[in-house]
Amino acid sequence: MGVYLCQVVSMVYSMEVNTASIGDLPGLGEVTPYEHEKDFDQMVDIFVKNFKMTPEEACTNFESLEKSEDRMIAHLVIRKDGKIVARALALRSEDDPTHAHTGTWYVTEEDQRKRLLVKIINICKEAGVRTLVTPLFDDQLSQKDRLIPFYKSLGFAHICTVSSYEKSL
């Protein structure tokens, strides 16, 4: 008889964008669109250093995002002295254009996450998105005690937890 191991791999939060009541937030002007020609090399370096990607994987990731214009709702960065210090994106669901999800977050200061997310929510409203989903995965799971209250404060609700099960024989 084997032993089962269970590991939480993702916690998913969702919000109805039209019901979000988020006021103006200081610093939103610092959140600007990702510019592929200008930002590509910096983002590849960030993903290699912070997300354990090879340079080839990071290049492929950003090239494929650049080609997904029909699904891309927002790809945003925050710069300080010309250097990218934060990044986030939202993509439309392939199955339903009124649903979107966030991708991998990169922040160097936690207040950047709120500015990026508020900007994404506002852009989603303008783009006709009804539901925005954001998963907590990888390093975000270790920060869940801080991130869950943050997402809930903006109107997100927990919709599921994804677990991985393995059996040792």
Side-chain angles (χ1 to χ4, degrees):
M1 184 164 159
V3 175
Y4 285 96
L5 300 172
C6 172
Q7 178 180 0
V8 172
V9 294
S10 179
M11 297 175 74
V12 183
Y13 286 79
S14 176
M15 79 173 317
E16 295 302 315
V17 174
N18 292 333
T19 63
S21 58
I22 300 168
D24 198 23
L25 186 67
L28 283 182
E30 297 173 11
V31 179
T32 60
Y34 168 86
E35 298 174 39
H36 189 69
E37 295 297 320
K38 178 180 177 181
D39 299 332
F40 178 79
D41 290 337
Q42 278 189 70
M43 288 311 308
V44 167
D45 288 343
I46 288 168
F47 270 58
V48 168
K49 291 175 186 168
N50 295 281
F51 299 106
K52 298 178 182 135
M53 285 187 170
T54 65
E56 295 78 20
E57 290 169 332
C59 285
T60 300
N61 176 61
F62 285 96
E63 291 295 346
S64 68
L65 287 173
E66 186 65 13
K67 293 174 185 171
S68 66
E69 290 176 359
D70 55 329
R71 291 187 51 224
M72 183 69 66
I73 296 169
H75 194 179
L76 306 171
V77 297
I78 298 174
R79 293 179 183 83
K80 186 174 187 177
D81 300 323
K83 181 181 170 191
I84 295 172
V85 294
R87 176 264 188 181
L89 64 80
L91 295 165
R92 284 189 195 276
S93 169
E94 291 180 32
D95 301 326
D96 184 346
T98 67
H99 285 70
H101 61 87
T102 61
T104 302
W105 292 83
Y106 170 70
V107 296
T108 55
E109 297 174 13
E110 206 47 47
D111 71 304
Q112 297 162 343
R113 185 183 311 272
K114 186 169 188 174
R115 286 185 276 158
L116 288 164
L117 187 54
V118 166
K119 189 83 161 188
I120 285 173
I121 292 168
N122 290 335
I123 292 170
C124 283
K125 280 183 182 181
E126 294 170 9
V129 171
R130 288 192 323 247
T131 305
L132 178 62
V133 173
T134 188
L136 300 179
F137 58 95
D138 292 338
D139 69 317
Q140 294 176 354
L141 284 174
S142 65
Q143 303 171 50
K144 69 181 179 190
D145 291 341
R146 185 176 40 76
L147 291 175
I148 291 170
F150 163 72
Y151 284 116
K152 287 183 176 182
S153 75
L154 292 174
F156 284 84
H158 180 251
I159 57 171
C160 72
T161 298
V162 179
S163 298
S164 171
Y165 292 89
E166 297 178 18
K167 181 177 182 181
S168 177
L169 301 175

mmCIF file of all heavy atoms in Angstrom, residues 18-55:
data_model
loop_
_atom_site.group_PDB
_atom_site.id
_atom_site.type_symbol
_atom_site.label_atom_id
_atom_site.label_comp_id
_atom_site.label_asym_id
_atom_site.label_seq_id
_atom_site.Cartn_x
_atom_site.Cartn_y
_atom_site.Cartn_z
ATOM 1 N N ASN A 18 -17.694 44.678 -12.819
ATOM 2 C CA ASN A 18 -18.654 45.791 -12.811
ATOM 3 C C ASN A 18 -19.086 46.196 -11.408
ATOM 4 O O ASN A 18 -19.564 47.308 -11.213
ATOM 5 C CB ASN A 18 -19.882 45.451 -13.660
ATOM 6 C CG ASN A 18 -19.520 45.383 -15.124
ATOM 7 O OD1 ASN A 18 -18.574 46.015 -15.573
ATOM 8 N ND2 ASN A 18 -20.272 44.605 -15.874
ATOM 9 N N THR A 19 -18.932 45.312 -10.429
ATOM 10 C CA THR A 19 -19.332 45.652 -9.064
ATOM 11 C C THR A 19 -18.177 46.233 -8.255
ATOM 12 O O THR A 19 -18.369 46.642 -7.118
ATOM 13 C CB THR A 19 -19.898 44.421 -8.326
ATOM 14 O OG1 THR A 19 -18.864 43.435 -8.209
ATOM 15 C CG2 THR A 19 -21.096 43.848 -9.069
ATOM 16 N N ALA A 20 -16.993 46.260 -8.845
ATOM 17 C CA ALA A 20 -15.823 46.790 -8.133
ATOM 18 C C ALA A 20 -15.998 48.284 -7.908
ATOM 19 O O ALA A 20 -16.298 49.030 -8.830
ATOM 20 C CB ALA A 20 -14.551 46.524 -8.930
ATOM 21 N N SER A 21 -15.842 48.682 -6.674
ATOM 22 C CA SER A 21 -15.920 50.111 -6.357
ATOM 23 C C SER A 21 -14.569 50.551 -5.819
ATOM 24 O O SER A 21 -14.337 50.598 -4.620
ATOM 25 C CB SER A 21 -17.038 50.386 -5.350
ATOM 26 O OG SER A 21 -16.824 49.640 -4.180
ATOM 27 N N ILE A 22 -13.699 50.815 -6.742
ATOM 28 C CA ILE A 22 -12.332 51.188 -6.392
ATOM 29 C C ILE A 22 -12.146 52.649 -6.778
ATOM 30 O O ILE A 22 -12.305 53.020 -7.938
ATOM 31 C CB ILE A 22 -11.311 50.303 -7.127
ATOM 32 C CG1 ILE A 22 -11.535 48.847 -6.734
ATOM 33 C CG2 ILE A 22 -9.902 50.755 -6.833
ATOM 34 C CD1 ILE A 22 -10.806 47.861 -7.586
ATOM 35 N N GLY A 23 -11.842 53.451 -5.810
ATOM 36 C CA GLY A 23 -11.640 54.871 -6.061
ATOM 37 C C GLY A 23 -10.306 55.130 -6.717
ATOM 38 O O GLY A 23 -9.551 54.218 -7.029
ATOM 39 N N ASP A 24 -10.030 56.396 -6.906
ATOM 40 C CA ASP A 24 -8.750 56.790 -7.472
ATOM 41 C C ASP A 24 -7.644 56.442 -6.490
ATOM 42 O O ASP A 24 -7.808 56.563 -5.274
ATOM 43 C CB ASP A 24 -8.760 58.283 -7.780
ATOM 44 C CG ASP A 24 -7.662 58.665 -8.746
ATOM 45 O OD1 ASP A 24 -7.197 57.782 -9.494
ATOM 46 O OD2 ASP A 24 -7.261 59.837 -8.752
ATOM 47 N N LEU A 25 -6.538 55.996 -6.995
ATOM 48 C CA LEU A 25 -5.431 55.542 -6.165
ATOM 49 C C LEU A 25 -4.182 56.334 -6.528
ATOM 50 O O LEU A 25 -3.835 56.423 -7.711
ATOM 51 C CB LEU A 25 -5.215 54.046 -6.404
ATOM 52 C CG LEU A 25 -4.211 53.320 -5.561
ATOM 53 C CD1 LEU A 25 -4.673 53.246 -4.107
ATOM 54 C CD2 LEU A 25 -4.019 51.898 -6.087
ATOM 55 N N PRO A 26 -3.503 56.918 -5.559
ATOM 56 C CA PRO A 26 -2.261 57.636 -5.875
ATOM 57 C C PRO A 26 -1.250 56.709 -6.549
ATOM 58 O O PRO A 26 -1.149 55.538 -6.212
ATOM 59 C CB PRO A 26 -1.745 58.081 -4.506
ATOM 60 C CG PRO A 26 -2.927 58.025 -3.600
ATOM 61 C CD PRO A 26 -3.826 56.945 -4.141
ATOM 62 N N GLY A 27 -0.540 57.238 -7.516
ATOM 63 C CA GLY A 27 0.504 56.465 -8.183
ATOM 64 C C GLY A 27 0.049 55.707 -9.414
ATOM 65 O O GLY A 27 0.862 55.035 -10.058
ATOM 66 N N LEU A 28 -1.246 55.790 -9.785
ATOM 67 C CA LEU A 28 -1.706 55.069 -10.977
ATOM 68 C C LEU A 28 -1.054 55.603 -12.242
ATOM 69 O O LEU A 28 -0.892 54.874 -13.217
ATOM 70 C CB LEU A 28 -3.230 55.136 -11.111
ATOM 71 C CG LEU A 28 -4.036 54.220 -10.202
ATOM 72 C CD1 LEU A 28 -5.525 54.357 -10.494
ATOM 73 C CD2 LEU A 28 -3.607 52.774 -10.319
ATOM 74 N N GLY A 29 -0.656 56.871 -12.226
ATOM 75 C CA GLY A 29 0.008 57.454 -13.387
ATOM 76 C C GLY A 29 1.358 56.823 -13.680
ATOM 77 O O GLY A 29 1.863 56.911 -14.806
ATOM 78 N N GLU A 30 1.954 56.172 -12.689
ATOM 79 C CA GLU A 30 3.239 55.495 -12.877
ATOM 80 C C GLU A 30 3.085 54.160 -13.587
ATOM 81 O O GLU A 30 4.064 53.579 -14.039
ATOM 82 C CB GLU A 30 3.919 55.273 -11.526
ATOM 83 C CG GLU A 30 4.266 56.548 -10.791
ATOM 84 C CD GLU A 30 4.783 56.281 -9.379
ATOM 85 O OE1 GLU A 30 5.071 55.111 -9.048
ATOM 86 O OE2 GLU A 30 4.889 57.246 -8.618
ATOM 87 N N VAL A 31 1.850 53.654 -13.657
ATOM 88 C CA VAL A 31 1.577 52.378 -14.316
ATOM 89 C C VAL A 31 1.378 52.661 -15.805
ATOM 90 O O VAL A 31 0.475 53.400 -16.185
ATOM 91 C CB VAL A 31 0.330 51.700 -13.723
ATOM 92 C CG1 VAL A 31 0.052 50.378 -14.433
ATOM 93 C CG2 VAL A 31 0.480 51.484 -12.222
ATOM 94 N N THR A 32 2.254 52.084 -16.636
ATOM 95 C CA THR A 32 2.210 52.346 -18.071
ATOM 96 C C THR A 32 2.194 51.033 -18.852
ATOM 97 O O THR A 32 2.586 49.986 -18.315
ATOM 98 C CB THR A 32 3.431 53.184 -18.507
ATOM 99 O OG1 THR A 32 4.626 52.462 -18.197
ATOM 100 C CG2 THR A 32 3.446 54.540 -17.816
ATOM 101 N N PRO A 33 1.767 51.084 -20.109
ATOM 102 C CA PRO A 33 1.769 49.862 -20.922
ATOM 103 C C PRO A 33 3.178 49.332 -21.172
ATOM 104 O O PRO A 33 4.134 50.101 -21.326
ATOM 105 C CB PRO A 33 1.126 50.298 -22.246
ATOM 106 C CG PRO A 33 0.360 51.532 -21.918
ATOM 107 C CD PRO A 33 1.128 52.203 -20.805
ATOM 108 N N TYR A 34 3.294 48.020 -21.202
ATOM 109 C CA TYR A 34 4.517 47.339 -21.619
ATOM 110 C C TYR A 34 4.780 47.712 -23.072
ATOM 111 O O TYR A 34 3.866 47.719 -23.897
ATOM 112 C CB TYR A 34 4.312 45.824 -21.479
ATOM 113 C CG TYR A 34 5.354 44.964 -22.131
ATOM 114 C CD1 TYR A 34 6.525 44.636 -21.463
ATOM 115 C CD2 TYR A 34 5.151 44.438 -23.403
ATOM 116 C CE1 TYR A 34 7.477 43.810 -22.053
ATOM 117 C CE2 TYR A 34 6.096 43.618 -24.003
ATOM 118 C CZ TYR A 34 7.250 43.310 -23.331
ATOM 119 O OH TYR A 34 8.187 42.498 -23.916
ATOM 120 N N GLU A 35 6.024 48.051 -23.375
ATOM 121 C CA GLU A 35 6.428 48.367 -24.744
ATOM 122 C C GLU A 35 7.447 47.319 -25.175
ATOM 123 O O GLU A 35 8.583 47.325 -24.706
ATOM 124 C CB GLU A 35 7.036 49.766 -24.814
ATOM 125 C CG GLU A 35 6.075 50.875 -24.412
ATOM 126 C CD GLU A 35 6.755 52.228 -24.350
ATOM 127 O OE1 GLU A 35 7.609 52.517 -25.228
ATOM 128 O OE2 GLU A 35 6.448 52.979 -23.406
ATOM 129 N N HIS A 36 7.034 46.438 -26.065
ATOM 130 C CA HIS A 36 7.842 45.266 -26.411
ATOM 131 C C HIS A 36 9.269 45.628 -26.830
ATOM 132 O O HIS A 36 10.228 45.047 -26.317
ATOM 133 C CB HIS A 36 7.133 44.452 -27.501
ATOM 134 C CG HIS A 36 7.769 43.136 -27.759
ATOM 135 N ND1 HIS A 36 7.732 42.107 -26.847
ATOM 136 C CD2 HIS A 36 8.483 42.678 -28.825
ATOM 137 C CE1 HIS A 36 8.385 41.058 -27.335
ATOM 138 N NE2 HIS A 36 8.850 41.382 -28.533
ATOM 139 N N GLU A 37 9.410 46.557 -27.748
ATOM 140 C CA GLU A 37 10.752 46.914 -28.234
ATOM 141 C C GLU A 37 11.633 47.469 -27.112
ATOM 142 O O GLU A 37 12.814 47.178 -27.033
ATOM 143 C CB GLU A 37 10.658 47.938 -29.372
ATOM 144 C CG GLU A 37 9.982 47.410 -30.626
ATOM 145 C CD GLU A 37 10.744 46.257 -31.262
ATOM 146 O OE1 GLU A 37 11.989 46.301 -31.300
ATOM 147 O OE2 GLU A 37 10.087 45.308 -31.721
ATOM 148 N N LYS A 38 11.055 48.251 -26.238
ATOM 149 C CA LYS A 38 11.785 48.916 -25.158
ATOM 150 C C LYS A 38 12.006 47.995 -23.953
ATOM 151 O O LYS A 38 13.062 48.047 -23.308
ATOM 152 C CB LYS A 38 10.992 50.151 -24.726
ATOM 153 C CG LYS A 38 11.573 50.940 -23.585
ATOM 154 C CD LYS A 38 10.681 52.133 -23.286
ATOM 155 C CE LYS A 38 11.161 52.926 -22.106
ATOM 156 N NZ LYS A 38 10.287 54.065 -21.821
ATOM 157 N N ASP A 39 11.006 47.161 -23.630
ATOM 158 C CA ASP A 39 10.997 46.422 -22.365
ATOM 159 C C ASP A 39 11.401 44.957 -22.466
ATOM 160 O O ASP A 39 11.647 44.308 -21.442
ATOM 161 C CB ASP A 39 9.594 46.499 -21.738
ATOM 162 C CG ASP A 39 9.187 47.928 -21.439
ATOM 163 O OD1 ASP A 39 10.075 48.769 -21.200
ATOM 164 O OD2 ASP A 39 7.975 48.202 -21.441
ATOM 165 N N PHE A 40 11.469 44.427 -23.671
ATOM 166 C CA PHE A 40 11.695 42.991 -23.862
ATOM 167 C C PHE A 40 12.936 42.484 -23.128
ATOM 168 O O PHE A 40 12.860 41.530 -22.351
ATOM 169 C CB PHE A 40 11.787 42.678 -25.365
ATOM 170 C CG PHE A 40 12.061 41.242 -25.678
ATOM 171 C CD1 PHE A 40 11.057 40.296 -25.624
ATOM 172 C CD2 PHE A 40 13.345 40.825 -26.032
ATOM 173 C CE1 PHE A 40 11.312 38.964 -25.930
ATOM 174 C CE2 PHE A 40 13.604 39.500 -26.335
ATOM 175 C CZ PHE A 40 12.588 38.565 -26.282
ATOM 176 N N ASP A 41 14.083 43.095 -23.355
ATOM 177 C CA ASP A 41 15.337 42.598 -22.749
ATOM 178 C C ASP A 41 15.286 42.640 -21.223
ATOM 179 O O ASP A 41 15.720 41.692 -20.557
ATOM 180 C CB ASP A 41 16.546 43.390 -23.263
ATOM 181 C CG ASP A 41 16.852 43.103 -24.726
ATOM 182 O OD1 ASP A 41 16.451 42.031 -25.232
ATOM 183 O OD2 ASP A 41 17.494 43.956 -25.378
ATOM 184 N N GLN A 42 14.733 43.736 -20.672
ATOM 185 C CA GLN A 42 14.621 43.829 -19.209
ATOM 186 C C GLN A 42 13.726 42.729 -18.660
ATOM 187 O O GLN A 42 14.035 42.119 -17.631
ATOM 188 C CB GLN A 42 14.033 45.175 -18.791
ATOM 189 C CG GLN A 42 15.028 46.308 -18.740
ATOM 190 C CD GLN A 42 14.391 47.532 -18.092
ATOM 191 O OE1 GLN A 42 14.135 47.507 -16.888
ATOM 192 N NE2 GLN A 42 14.138 48.556 -18.883
ATOM 193 N N MET A 43 12.585 42.491 -19.335
ATOM 194 C CA MET A 43 11.649 41.478 -18.834
ATOM 195 C C MET A 43 12.231 40.075 -18.948
ATOM 196 O O MET A 43 12.029 39.250 -18.058
ATOM 197 C CB MET A 43 10.303 41.571 -19.561
ATOM 198 C CG MET A 43 9.472 42.782 -19.167
ATOM 199 S SD MET A 43 9.278 43.047 -17.367
ATOM 200 C CE MET A 43 8.694 41.476 -16.800
ATOM 201 N N VAL A 44 12.962 39.810 -20.009
ATOM 202 C CA VAL A 44 13.625 38.503 -20.129
ATOM 203 C C VAL A 44 14.586 38.323 -18.964
ATOM 204 O O VAL A 44 14.588 37.275 -18.299
ATOM 205 C CB VAL A 44 14.341 38.362 -21.494
ATOM 206 C CG1 VAL A 44 15.285 37.162 -21.500
ATOM 207 C CG2 VAL A 44 13.310 38.240 -22.622
ATOM 208 N N ASP A 45 15.401 39.330 -18.670
ATOM 209 C CA ASP A 45 16.334 39.247 -17.539
ATOM 210 C C ASP A 45 15.596 39.025 -16.217
ATOM 211 O O ASP A 45 16.020 38.212 -15.386
ATOM 212 C CB ASP A 45 17.180 40.522 -17.435
ATOM 213 C CG ASP A 45 18.212 40.638 -18.537
ATOM 214 O OD1 ASP A 45 18.513 39.622 -19.206
ATOM 215 O OD2 ASP A 45 18.723 41.761 -18.742
ATOM 216 N N ILE A 46 14.491 39.747 -16.014
ATOM 217 C CA ILE A 46 13.705 39.605 -14.778
ATOM 218 C C ILE A 46 13.175 38.189 -14.639
ATOM 219 O O ILE A 46 13.243 37.583 -13.556
ATOM 220 C CB ILE A 46 12.557 40.651 -14.748
ATOM 221 C CG1 ILE A 46 13.137 42.042 -14.495
ATOM 222 C CG2 ILE A 46 11.506 40.291 -13.705
ATOM 223 C CD1 ILE A 46 12.153 43.185 -14.739
ATOM 224 N N PHE A 47 12.650 37.619 -15.724
ATOM 225 C CA PHE A 47 12.072 36.278 -15.649
ATOM 226 C C PHE A 47 13.149 35.206 -15.487
ATOM 227 O O PHE A 47 12.916 34.195 -14.825
ATOM 228 C CB PHE A 47 11.174 36.012 -16.856
ATOM 229 C CG PHE A 47 9.746 36.416 -16.614
ATOM 230 C CD1 PHE A 47 9.430 37.719 -16.262
ATOM 231 C CD2 PHE A 47 8.723 35.493 -16.699
ATOM 232 C CE1 PHE A 47 8.132 38.099 -16.017
ATOM 233 C CE2 PHE A 47 7.409 35.860 -16.440
ATOM 234 C CZ PHE A 47 7.107 37.170 -16.097
ATOM 235 N N VAL A 48 14.318 35.419 -16.038
ATOM 236 C CA VAL A 48 15.421 34.479 -15.838
ATOM 237 C C VAL A 48 15.872 34.516 -14.376
ATOM 238 O O VAL A 48 16.035 33.474 -13.735
ATOM 239 C CB VAL A 48 16.594 34.791 -16.799
ATOM 240 C CG1 VAL A 48 17.850 34.018 -16.403
ATOM 241 C CG2 VAL A 48 16.182 34.476 -18.239
ATOM 242 N N LYS A 49 16.027 35.707 -13.816
ATOM 243 C CA LYS A 49 16.524 35.853 -12.446
ATOM 244 C C LYS A 49 15.492 35.508 -11.380
ATOM 245 O O LYS A 49 15.845 34.983 -10.334
ATOM 246 C CB LYS A 49 17.018 37.283 -12.216
ATOM 247 C CG LYS A 49 18.271 37.624 -12.988
ATOM 248 C CD LYS A 49 18.647 39.078 -12.829
ATOM 249 C CE LYS A 49 19.817 39.415 -13.733
ATOM 250 N NZ LYS A 49 20.035 40.855 -13.827
ATOM 251 N N ASN A 50 14.219 35.811 -11.634
ATOM 252 C CA ASN A 50 13.209 35.685 -10.584
ATOM 253 C C ASN A 50 12.249 34.509 -10.738
ATOM 254 O O ASN A 50 11.593 34.138 -9.776
ATOM 255 C CB ASN A 50 12.386 36.981 -10.505
ATOM 256 C CG ASN A 50 13.231 38.145 -10.079
ATOM 257 O OD1 ASN A 50 13.526 38.299 -8.903
ATOM 258 N ND2 ASN A 50 13.659 38.948 -11.033
ATOM 259 N N PHE A 51 12.141 33.946 -11.937
ATOM 260 C CA PHE A 51 11.148 32.895 -12.160
ATOM 261 C C PHE A 51 11.754 31.613 -12.707
ATOM 262 O O PHE A 51 11.058 30.770 -13.260
ATOM 263 C CB PHE A 51 10.026 33.412 -13.073
ATOM 264 C CG PHE A 51 9.300 34.587 -12.475
ATOM 265 C CD1 PHE A 51 9.508 35.866 -12.962
ATOM 266 C CD2 PHE A 51 8.437 34.416 -11.405
ATOM 267 C CE1 PHE A 51 8.862 36.957 -12.403
ATOM 268 C CE2 PHE A 51 7.789 35.503 -10.834
ATOM 269 C CZ PHE A 51 7.994 36.770 -11.340
ATOM 270 N N LYS A 52 13.054 31.481 -12.579
ATOM 271 C CA LYS A 52 13.784 30.259 -12.923
ATOM 272 C C LYS A 52 13.543 29.797 -14.359
ATOM 273 O O LYS A 52 13.472 28.605 -14.638
ATOM 274 C CB LYS A 52 13.437 29.139 -11.932
ATOM 275 C CG LYS A 52 13.839 29.478 -10.513
ATOM 276 C CD LYS A 52 13.446 28.384 -9.544
ATOM 277 C CE LYS A 52 13.833 28.799 -8.152
ATOM 278 N NZ LYS A 52 12.845 28.563 -7.165
ATOM 279 N N MET A 53 13.388 30.747 -15.264
ATOM 280 C CA MET A 53 13.280 30.416 -16.684
ATOM 281 C C MET A 53 14.661 30.489 -17.309
ATOM 282 O O MET A 53 15.519 31.246 -16.857
ATOM 283 C CB MET A 53 12.367 31.416 -17.410
ATOM 284 C CG MET A 53 10.910 31.256 -17.156
ATOM 285 S SD MET A 53 9.992 32.383 -18.262
ATOM 286 C CE MET A 53 8.344 31.804 -17.981
ATOM 287 N N THR A 54 14.858 29.709 -18.365
ATOM 288 C CA THR A 54 16.062 29.868 -19.167
ATOM 289 C C THR A 54 15.857 31.115 -20.035
ATOM 290 O O THR A 54 14.710 31.543 -20.249
ATOM 291 C CB THR A 54 16.301 28.652 -20.079
ATOM 292 O OG1 THR A 54 15.239 28.589 -21.038
ATOM 293 C CG2 THR A 54 16.390 27.353 -19.274
ATOM 294 N N PRO A 55 16.927 31.689 -20.561
ATOM 295 C CA PRO A 55 16.747 32.831 -21.469
ATOM 296 C C PRO A 55 15.842 32.489 -22.661
ATOM 297 O O PRO A 55 15.021 33.302 -23.074
ATOM 298 C CB PRO A 55 18.171 33.163 -21.918
ATOM 299 C CG PRO A 55 19.029 32.698 -20.784
ATOM 300 C CD PRO A 55 18.351 31.451 -20.268
#
